Amino acid sequence: MRYFLTLYILAIVTLVGVAGFRGSVSRKPPIEIFPDMDRQMKLRPQEPNRFFGNRRSSQPFVPGTIARGMPYKDIPVNTGRMTGSTNWIEISPVEITEALMERGHQRYDIHCTPCHGAAGDGKGITSKYGMVAVANFHDARLVSMTDGEIFNTITNGKNLMGPYGANIKIEDRWAIIAYLRALQRSRLSTMDDVPEPQKAAFQN
Ligand code: HEC
């Protein structure tokens, strides 16, 4: 009984202490049992903020930013299709230069070699780990495929291949296609492609 009384009084004192003065005005900050996210580490728009060098919480866009969900301008270089249609463009709209080829080679080695292999025959390192249905770029079907469709495959993926549009810039996608064409050509060349002075070396 003695314990009960003590606890009972203690409970009343606690209850009155915590809840009893609700509504009365005080200049002191209230007791905060659950902070309810009253204070947050957040930036308010259009407010000054010392975190950034320019002391603004709203930062200007990074150059080249495109709003999420905003469609690309419907031009071949962005879509691989003829403007206003769903037809693929036959040939890359980007001028083929040595620099583009080099860039394409480098990007191909980074992004495509793991699966398609350095020679484009679909025997990349992943084939050793059970990924066997990778396309071989030397298939007649892929040799005659339009540049536009390949662009679309890189951008949006196809069947088992995932999309790489988010990882590879548009210019780089066209550079990769230029290099891919060179890979295909390397297995299709004939004697006519060999420069005259070197021909003798191939005669026998
Ligand atoms: C993670 C593995 C992987 C990577 C990386 C990859 N591919 Fe593929 N790719 C595939 C597979 C698998 C297929 C076969 C898809 C199918 O038909 O199911 C394929 C198919 C293709 C095709 C043929 C599509 C068709 O219409 O049949 C093209 C063209 C192609 N890839 C280009 C590329 C290029 C260019 C790159 C580099 C930017 C690349 N791929 C990177 C796995 C990959």
Side-chain angles (χ1 to χ4, degrees):
M1 193 63 190
R2 212 175 52 196
Y3 288 124
F4 173 77
L5 262 182
T6 323
L7 281 178
Y8 188 65
I9 290 167
L10 205 69
I12 290 180
V13 169
T14 315
L15 194 72
V16 172
V18 173
F21 296 101
R22 285 179 65 119
S24 55
V25 182
S26 163
R27 289 190 170 277
K28 294 198 188 112
I31 300 168
E32 196 173 65
I33 297 165
F34 300 108
D36 282 339
M37 296 165 84
D38 282 341
R39 282 164 301 284
Q40 300 168 22
M41 295 276 287
K42 71 175 178 191
L43 307 181
R44 288 182 182 279
Q46 312 290 345
E47 290 283 317
N49 189 285
R50 282 182 308 156
F51 184 77
F52 295 108
N54 60 6
R55 303 285 164 117
R56 291 158 54 172
S57 56
S58 303
Q59 294 296 306
F61 290 125
V62 174
T65 305
I66 297 174
R68 218 190 154 99
M70 181 140 125
Y72 279 128
K73 218 164 140 197
D74 184 10
I75 48 172
V77 73
N78 286 339
T79 61
R81 296 170 197 264
M82 291 175 209
T83 306
S85 97
T86 52
N87 296 339
W88 306 120
I89 51 165
E90 292 280 337
I91 294 174
S92 165
V94 175
E95 195 197 339
I96 312 289
T97 60
E98 202 174 333
L100 185 89
M101 278 303 226
E102 259 164 34
R103 178 78 182 165
H105 185 174
Q106 186 209 32
R107 295 290 110 178
Y108 178 93
D109 281 354
I110 294 170
H111 295 289
C112 318
T113 299
C115 298
H116 290 280
D121 52 11
K123 298 202 180 72
I125 185 78
T126 51
S127 65
K128 294 201 173 58
Y129 296 91
M131 194 172 190
V132 287
V134 182
N136 173 357
F137 294 143
H138 304 289
D139 273 354
R141 186 176 66 86
L142 296 184
V143 171
S144 56
M145 185 174 274
T146 57
D147 284 354
E149 186 168 1
I150 297 180
F151 180 86
N152 182 66
T153 298
I154 303 177
T155 311
N156 301 313
K158 174 121 180 217
N159 303 336
L160 286 175
M161 178 175 146
Y164 287 86
N167 311 35
I168 309 175
K169 286 193 294 182
I170 288 186
E171 309 91 83
D172 288 345
R173 281 174 240 163
W174 290 113
I176 288 174
I177 292 171
Y179 181 70
L180 198 162
R181 290 306 189 201
L183 282 181
Q184 291 178 330
R185 188 67 204 268
S186 71
R187 294 210 182 169
L188 292 172
S189 46
T190 62
M191 208 55 192
D192 294 336
D193 295 313
V194 182
E196 211 52 55
Q198 271 90 49
K199 268 198 176 142
F202 288 92
Q203 286 310 327
N204 32 25

